[in-house]
């Protein structure tokens, strides 16, 4: 109405309306394009991280290193899911990404369980060795105790024999 009051023709007003609509559409298209580019960047990042994981596996990296890399991948996939949603991805595409995400989490859980099992096995082995060593020491101490007890018994018997000899000698003296 302001343009109308300023004397603009209906044709000029219609041109401005169409131009404004085109500008709005250009803005919408540009935002969509930026979101799609962001989604592609996230997809490329996940792809790169997966290739780095493959290299680590090929090198025989430690389980801990593999878990760290898989955590990075899981985080990147989560970001990729957000970017894909923002870019208007289909539910099927989102589901595939979500499946990848949970697959990575399952891998991490399996590897962590493996680490735990290995650690538990190592601890149990160490405990078994300590117990064996303790049992051997106890056997040595028991054997030493048995020897000492037998020596004490022998000394007591020898003392008893000696006392009996002394008493026998005293008794013979009294009789003579």
């Amino acid at each position: 109405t302001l343009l109308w009051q300023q004397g603009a023709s209906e044709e000029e007003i219609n041109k401005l309306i169409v131009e404004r609509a085109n500008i709005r559409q250009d803005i919408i298209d540009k935002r969509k394009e930026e979101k799609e580019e962001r989604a592609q960047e996230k997809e490329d990042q996940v792809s790169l991280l997966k290739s780095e994981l493959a290299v680590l596996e090929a090198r025989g990296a430690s389980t801990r290193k593999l878990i760290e890399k898989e955590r990075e991948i899981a985080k990147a996939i989560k970001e990729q899911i957000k970017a894909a949603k923002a870019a208007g991805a289909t539910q099927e595409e989102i589901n595939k990404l979500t499946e990848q995400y949970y697959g990575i989490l399952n891998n991490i859980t399996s590897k962590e369980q493996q680490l735990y099992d290995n650690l538990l096995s190592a601890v149990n082995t160490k405990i078994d060795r300590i117990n064996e060593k303790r049992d051997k020491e106890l056997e040595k101490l028991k054997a030493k105790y048995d020897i000492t007890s037998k020596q004490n018994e022998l000394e007591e018997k020898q003392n008893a024999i000696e006392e009996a000899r002394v008493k026998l000698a005293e008794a013979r003296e009294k009789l003579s």
Side-chain angles (χ1 to χ4, degrees):
T1 57
L2 183 60
L3 292 174
W4 189 265
Q5 291 172 352
Q6 292 177 353
S9 70
E10 190 173 325
E11 186 180 320
E12 291 173 325
I13 293 173
N14 285 337
K15 280 184 180 179
L16 289 173
I17 290 172
V18 168
E19 191 176 323
R20 187 175 109 195
N22 288 339
I23 290 171
R24 281 188 175 167
Q25 188 59 47
D26 288 345
I27 291 171
I28 290 170
D29 290 346
K30 184 65 176 168
R31 285 182 181 160
K32 183 176 181 183
E33 188 179 306
E34 287 173 355
K35 288 177 183 178
E36 288 172 352
E37 285 174 4
R38 232 178 285 133
Q40 185 60 48
E41 287 172 5
K42 296 300 179 184
E43 184 178 337
D44 293 345
Q45 181 184 14
V46 169
S47 180
L48 175 64
L49 289 170
K50 285 181 177 180
S51 70
E52 289 173 358
L53 176 64
V55 169
L56 288 173
E57 287 172 340
R59 285 185 182 167
S62 71
T63 304
R64 291 186 192 280
K65 291 274 186 202
L66 297 177
I67 288 172
E68 287 174 17
K69 186 56 69 178
E70 285 182 331
R71 285 186 198 281
E72 287 180 47
I73 293 170
K75 183 179 177 185
I77 291 174
K78 202 170 188 180
E79 291 172 5
Q80 183 183 4
I81 291 169
K82 288 178 187 175
K85 284 179 180 178
T90 66
Q91 189 59 47
E92 184 179 345
E93 292 169 325
I94 300 300
N95 290 347
K96 285 180 182 178
L97 292 172
T98 303
E99 183 181 337
Q100 285 181 31
Y101 174 75
Y102 284 109
I104 292 291
L105 292 183
N106 288 337
N107 288 345
I108 291 169
T109 301
S110 295
K111 284 182 173 84
E112 286 176 336
Q113 183 65 46
Q114 179 186 5
L115 281 176
Y116 172 78
D117 291 344
N118 291 345
L119 179 61
L120 184 61
S121 176
V123 167
N124 285 336
T125 300
K126 185 73 172 173
I127 288 172
D128 290 344
R129 287 182 185 153
I130 289 170
N131 285 339
E132 287 173 14
K133 187 176 179 180
R134 183 203 62 214
D135 290 346
K136 286 179 183 177
E137 289 295 320
L138 284 174
E139 286 177 23
K140 287 179 185 177
L141 288 173
K142 187 176 184 249
K144 195 173 186 180
Y145 174 79
D146 288 345
I147 291 171
T148 304
S149 292
K150 288 181 181 180
Q151 285 176 340
N152 288 341
E153 281 180 40
L154 184 60
E155 285 178 16
E156 287 175 10
K157 288 179 182 177
Q158 286 175 344
N159 288 340
I161 291 172
E162 193 57 40
E163 284 179 28
R165 283 188 185 157
V166 169
K167 287 183 183 178
L168 182 61
E170 288 175 0
R172 281 189 183 158
E173 258 184 48
K174 284 186 185 177
L175 286 175
S176 12

